[in-house]
Amino acid sequence: MLYVAFLPIVNQELNAQVRPAHLSYINDLYKQGKVVMAGPFTDKLGGLVIYKADSLEEARKLAEADPVVVEGARTLELREWSPLEFPLS
């Protein structure tokens, strides 16, 4: 299943400090097949990560271990996602 983590920034200064660890963390998860896509919003107020996990609990564990969440630079909203398969009939 796929899970989308919305990560709004709540502390810009702290986020700037923790961002390198965040990028390293999600890059490692990508290499393990646990992150499908990730990136910042163009308004620079946060970003999102799409996780591939066997359960909501696994996805929550991965998302809550992200350094930007652990350090309090960003909040987390995690939702299960069911993308449409195109083309639609």
Side-chain angles (χ1 to χ4, degrees):
M1 296 298 300
L2 297 177
Y3 300 87
V4 178
F6 294 92
L7 298 165
I9 297 170
V10 294
N11 184 322
Q12 289 284 357
E13 186 176 314
L14 182 57
N15 184 71
Q17 293 171 4
V18 182
R19 190 168 185 266
H22 161 71
L23 294 176
S24 177
Y25 178 73
I26 61 174
N27 190 56
D28 288 345
L29 289 178
Y30 175 81
K31 291 176 184 176
Q32 296 172 38
K34 295 295 182 180
V35 166
V36 177
M37 296 182 99
F41 297 124
T42 58
D43 63 8
K44 301 183 184 191
L45 297 177
L48 69 81
V49 178
I50 300 175
Y51 292 96
K52 184 176 183 181
D54 294 328
S55 66
L56 178 60
E57 293 77 21
E58 179 188 6
R60 184 167 309 285
K61 185 176 178 181
L62 294 171
E64 289 178 346
D66 187 324
V68 292
V69 175
V70 170
E71 296 297 325
R74 300 184 190 200
T75 59
L76 168 66
E77 179 185 346
L78 185 67
R79 312 265 312 260
E80 187 173 340
W81 184 47
S82 180
L84 297 174
E85 292 192 27
F86 289 97
L88 301 174
S89 29

